Amino acid sequence: MRKKLLIGAVITLFGFPLVGWAILKLSDHDPLETMLRGNQPLAIQALVGLASGLFLGWGAQSVIAMNFLKPTLRKYSDLIGQFNLRDIDIVFISFCAGFGEELLFRGSIQVFLGIWVTAIIFVAIHGYLSPKNLKLTVYGIFMTLAIAALGYMTEHLGVFASCVAHMMIDVVLFYYLIKANKKFKNEISHEV
């Protein structure tokens, strides 16, 4: 199961940017110039991406930790817990998702649909905006705001900043979900 997740991460890292490149190429944009645009040096983008990713990851963690979202937290912590991820897996998967997804969504799709529509589509695709689950949608609304922030970051700094921020959000959330999974398992073992 872990192996399939790692293969999916590699496909995301390489496949998503290729789709973005094709979209831009078909629309007469210069794919590399458009996808990799940036207004600030990479070091500035990396620092801002790191800081904002940690902040947004903490925010997402705080939202999903709310009492009324406990069933959602349990669902996602059980899902992540079954993969038995190592630290290197978490960093690798987060890197692949951060760079692959951002190059497609912020580097390509956002060019045509704008920041907010792209953010809503991105969060909806991840399943966090659901009329059938209004509690989960609360988390989805926070994530839409966070992803829109990445869109603005791309516009004002460059896509590298949003890639780093996305990676850090994922790292924070993976660690939190793994910690929550251990806590839930510990509660069950004490009940038995």
Side-chain angles (χ1 to χ4, degrees), residues 11-37 99-112 118 159:
I11 291 169
T12 299
L13 179 61
F14 294 106
F16 282 31
L18 283 175
V19 170
W21 180 86
I23 291 169
L24 291 168
K25 190 73 173 166
L26 291 172
S27 64
D28 291 331
H29 283 79
D30 179 343
L32 288 178
E33 183 181 317
T34 305
M35 286 178 86
L36 301 177
R37 68 192 182 280
F99 281 79
E101 291 179 357
E102 290 306 309
L103 288 173
L104 172 60
F105 284 91
R106 256 50 66 198
S108 177
I109 295 172
Q110 180 173 297
V111 172
F112 302 101
T118 304
V159 73

Side-chain angles (χ1 to χ4, degrees), residues 31-162:
L32 288 178
E33 183 181 317
T34 305
M35 286 178 86
L36 301 177
R37 68 192 182 280
N39 302 324
Q40 296 295 322
L42 290 180
I44 299 292
Q45 290 187 53
L47 287 172
V48 172
L50 179 69
S52 57
L54 290 171
F55 176 75
L56 292 169
W58 172 80
Q61 172 185 316
S62 297
V63 171
I64 202 163
M66 292 178 172
N67 251 354
F68 74 93
L69 282 173
K70 190 171 184 176
T72 301
L73 173 61
R74 182 164 211 139
K75 174 185 170 184
Y76 285 104
S77 68
D78 286 348
L79 175 68
I80 296 302
Q82 72 184 348
F83 292 110
N84 296 316
L85 298 174
R86 302 172 301 185
D87 290 345
I88 191 72
D89 298 332
I90 292 169
V91 172
F92 178 73
I93 292 165
S94 298
F95 171 82
C96 292
F99 281 79
E101 291 179 357
E102 290 306 309
L103 288 173
L104 172 60
F105 284 91
R106 256 50 66 198
S108 177
I109 295 172
Q110 180 173 297
V111 172
F112 302 101
L113 300 181
I115 292 170
W116 285 98
V117 172
T118 304
I120 291 166
I121 290 170
F122 182 86
V123 175
I125 287 171
H126 281 76
Y128 301 136
L129 296 174
S130 171
K132 294 179 184 175
N133 186 344
L134 294 179
K135 291 179 181 179
L136 178 61
T137 298
V138 170
Y139 179 72
I141 290 168
F142 174 84
M143 290 309 297
T144 301
L145 296 171
I147 296 304
L150 300 189
Y152 285 106
M153 201 178 302
T154 297
E155 293 296 316
H156 295 287
L157 298 173
V159 73
F160 187 70
S162 63

